[in-house]
Amino acid sequence: MNEYDIKDQLKKKNKEIYLNKLNFDLDNNLEVLVLTIDNLLSFMKDNLVKKIIDIEEDFQDKESILENVNIFFEAYRNNLMNILDTKKVDLQNVIVVHDDLDVCKQNIKDNYLTLKETLETFSKKEIDNLVKSLNKELKSEFKKNRLKEYLTTIFLTNLNMKVLDTMKNRDIILINTFEETYLKYLELNKNTIGV
């Protein structure tokens, strides 16, 4: 084995280490994102139940309210997790196929825009279902309108904004982590093969 073969093997090994680290960083980032979103959704769900009870001005229907709100949040979370799984697979494919940090960054930004649109479309449909379910319990048109306005305008906007902000912040952290990993990869190449 000559010096060129050794350098080539070291280069391949460095590349393998780099790609493994990127995938590890991606997994960790998404794991933290899921935990953060779960906590956020739990908090938002508790607050929503209280607000609906305030709007209805009736504590008799608390179990029904809780059941309907749980259905909404379960659908919202499942949709979001499916979107995140797709995002992860797309990004892993970009990492393997393109091996270009700029392409990875652009993919993260593009994924965010697609994810935002998908989440907003899905959540509008689901909030309408929640409104219909909750309105069955209400007698007063005023309360029905007040509940619908709150859920479709204030609550849904806040929920989506908080979830999307959380995701955007995790994307920024992921991009920064990828950049650090890339610099370490370059340093590793410099130290092992002199490139």
Side-chain angles (χ1 to χ4, degrees):
M1 217 192 257
N2 63 27
E3 184 180 333
Y4 178 77
D5 292 336
I6 293 171
K7 281 187 177 187
D8 190 46
Q9 284 184 346
L10 285 172
K11 187 176 181 180
K12 286 178 185 174
K13 190 64 178 170
N14 290 348
K15 178 74 152 214
E16 181 183 330
I17 292 168
Y18 169 63
L19 294 176
N20 287 340
K21 177 71 167 95
L22 290 180
N23 280 312
F24 179 75
D25 292 340
L26 177 61
D27 287 342
N28 283 343
N29 185 281
L30 289 176
E31 187 177 314
V32 171
L33 176 61
V34 167
L35 289 172
T36 305
I37 287 175
D38 282 344
N39 288 333
L40 174 65
L41 293 180
S42 178
F43 174 77
M44 296 292 286
K45 179 170 55 171
D46 292 343
N47 284 343
L48 180 59
V49 170
K50 290 174 190 171
K51 185 65 177 178
I52 292 170
I53 289 171
D54 286 347
I55 291 171
E56 286 193 3
E57 300 170 342
D58 189 355
F59 288 95
Q60 295 172 359
D61 299 330
K62 186 171 182 178
E63 290 301 315
S64 175
I65 292 168
L66 190 56
E67 182 181 325
N68 287 314
V69 168
N70 281 336
I71 290 168
F72 167 79
F73 274 97
E74 187 63 31
Y76 188 93
R77 185 187 184 284
N78 286 339
N79 180 62
L80 191 54
M81 293 306 129
N82 288 336
I83 292 169
L84 291 177
D85 286 343
T86 302
K87 174 184 176 172
K88 179 181 177 181
V89 169
D90 288 348
L91 193 51
Q92 285 174 326
N93 288 336
V94 167
I95 289 170
V96 170
V97 173
H98 292 286
D99 181 33
D100 183 344
L101 188 59
D102 290 330
V103 173
C104 285
K105 285 188 218 178
Q106 191 58 48
N107 181 270
I108 291 170
K109 291 173 186 172
D110 292 344
N111 268 338
Y112 174 81
L113 296 174
T114 303
L115 186 143
K116 179 179 187 239
E117 183 180 313
T118 304
L119 181 66
E120 288 173 348
T121 302
F122 177 83
S123 63
K124 283 178 187 174
K125 213 168 44 174
E126 285 303 311
I127 205 73
D128 288 341
N129 291 337
L130 179 60
V131 168
K132 287 175 189 168
S133 298
L134 292 171
N135 275 344
K136 290 177 187 173
E137 308 290 325
L138 294 175
K139 313 285 185 267
S140 160
E141 284 302 313
F142 173 74
K143 288 180 184 178
K144 287 180 181 182
N145 289 334
R146 187 173 168 215
L147 181 65
K148 180 180 180 183
E149 189 63 29
Y150 174 75
L151 289 174
T152 58
T153 322
I154 298 168
F155 171 74
L156 189 60
T157 302
N158 286 338
L159 175 64
N160 285 340
M161 186 178 67
K162 287 179 181 182
V163 167
L164 291 168
D165 282 349
T166 300
M167 294 170 73
K168 195 169 208 167
N169 290 337
R170 290 308 312 170
D171 283 352
I172 290 168
I173 291 169
L174 183 61
I175 288 170
N176 290 340
T177 304
F178 277 9
E179 287 175 349
E180 287 176 26
T181 300
Y182 182 70
L183 292 174
K184 288 178 183 176
Y185 167 65
L186 293 178
E187 186 177 325
L188 182 63
N189 276 341
K190 181 181 172 188
N191 292 336
T192 57
I193 58 178
V195 175

